[in-house]
Amino acid sequence: MSRIHPTAVVSWDAVVADDVVIGPYAVVHPYVRLAPGVRIDAHAVVGGDPQDLSFAGGITWLSVGPRTVIREAAIVHRATRPDVPTRIGASCLIMGQVHISHDADVGDRVVVAQRTALAGHVTVGSDAVIGGMTAVHQHVRIGTRAMVGALAKVTRDVLPFCAVDGNPATHRALNVVGLRRAGFSAADRRELRAAYNRLRAGLPLEDRAGLVGQLAEFLDVPSRRGISAFDKAREVA
C-alpha cells in the first residue's frame, strides 16, 4: 500500500502505484503516473502545468519510472502535448530543488544534482550525471553516460561517454571515472579515447561498431542546438 503523508496533496486523477511514498507537503497534480517504488520527498511538486506560453490547456502527462527518487522541493512539469509525456526513467535520483521542465525525456539511472534546471524538451541519456546548479538550454541532448560539471551552462549537445564543463560548457575529456565505475574495460576506454580525439580534431568516425557506434548514432540524429565545442588545449591521453 502506498504511504502518503497526511499533509501531502495528491490528485484523484494521478495514477499512483501501491508502494509509492509521498512525503510531507508534497503536491502531485492530475495526470501524473508514478511507477512502483517511486519516492516523492517533502515539498516536491510534480505534474504542474507546463511553463510554456503556447500551452493551451488540456490533458497532458508526466511519467515517473520505477524506483526513482525525487527529493525535497524539486519541481517537475507535465508535457505540452497529449501524446508524449514528460518522462523520468527508472532508478533516477532527482536531488533537492531541481527543476525539470515540460517535455523533458530523462533516461534510466540518471543523477541530477541539487538546484539544476533542465529546460523544455531536454533529453538526457541513461546513466548520465549532471552536476549541481547547472543550467541546460531547451532542446539540448545529453548522451548516455555523459558527465556535466557543476555550475555548467549547457547550450549545446553533450556527446555520450564524454564530460563537459564551463560557461558555455565545452567538451573537456572522456567521462573516464564514470566508465571505470561502470566496469568498462581498458580496451573500451582506448576505443572511445581514439574516437574522441578524432572528433576533437574535426575528423569523421571511421568505425561504427560497438561503443563508437553509439557515438556515431548520436551524431546522426539532427541537432536543434549543435554539438558543444571541444577544448583544443590538449588531446585526451
Side-chain angles (χ1 to χ4, degrees):
M1 185 174 180
S2 57
R3 289 184 288 156
I4 301 175
H5 193 274
T7 62
V9 178
V10 181
S11 170
W12 290 108
D13 290 318
V15 181
V16 179
D18 288 343
D19 60 348
V20 165
V21 177
I22 301 175
Y25 301 101
V27 177
V28 179
H29 284 268
Y31 318 126
V32 173
R33 300 186 188 100
L34 302 180
V38 166
R39 190 178 104 206
I40 309 293
D41 277 359
H43 297 278
V45 180
V46 297
D49 285 351
Q51 295 181 150
D52 187 316
L53 294 175
S54 68
F55 180 65
I59 296 174
T60 64
W61 288 87
L62 163 66
S63 177
V64 181
R67 300 172 302 281
T68 282
V69 175
I70 299 178
R71 293 298 301 266
E72 298 85 355
I75 298 173
V76 188
H77 287 150
R78 301 194 324 276
T80 56
R81 47 188 283 190
D83 54 333
V84 180
T86 300
R87 187 184 77 91
I88 301 176
S91 302
C92 294
L93 174 57
I94 310 301
M95 295 189 190
Q97 300 172 302
V98 163
H99 180 206
I100 297 180
S101 299
H102 60 85
D103 303 291
D105 188 349
V106 178
D108 299 334
R109 299 173 300 279
V110 170
V111 176
V112 184
Q114 202 89 2
R115 293 191 176 186
T116 285
L118 307 184
H121 304 276
V122 165
T123 300
V124 183
S126 294
D127 301 292
V129 177
I130 303 177
M133 301 181 72
T134 290
V136 182
H137 195 285
Q138 60 203 40
H139 295 286
V140 160
R141 299 179 301 150
I142 297 175
T144 182
R145 297 195 184 279
M147 173 69 200
V148 179
L151 298 169
K153 177 184 176 183
V154 186
T155 60
R156 297 189 177 188
D157 294 352
V158 178
L159 293 172
F161 313 114
C162 295
V164 299
D165 196 12
N167 180 359
T170 57
H171 282 95
R172 304 299 179 91
L174 286 180
N175 181 17
V176 175
V177 172
L179 292 170
R180 284 174 176 159
R181 288 176 177 172
F184 285 78
S185 68
D188 289 336
R189 299 196 299 274
R190 284 195 298 271
E191 178 184 342
L192 287 171
R193 185 178 299 117
Y196 178 93
N197 283 327
R198 285 190 64 84
L199 293 173
R200 174 184 167 277
L203 300 173
L205 296 176
E206 295 178 321
D207 186 2
R208 296 181 65 93
L211 298 175
V212 176
Q214 294 185 45
L215 271 174
E217 289 172 7
F218 186 92
L219 290 167
D220 285 343
V221 175
S223 172
R224 295 281 296 269
R225 299 293 307 165
I227 306 298
S228 291
F230 287 83
D231 182 352
K232 297 296 183 71
R234 61 183 179 85
E235 287 192 335
V236 177

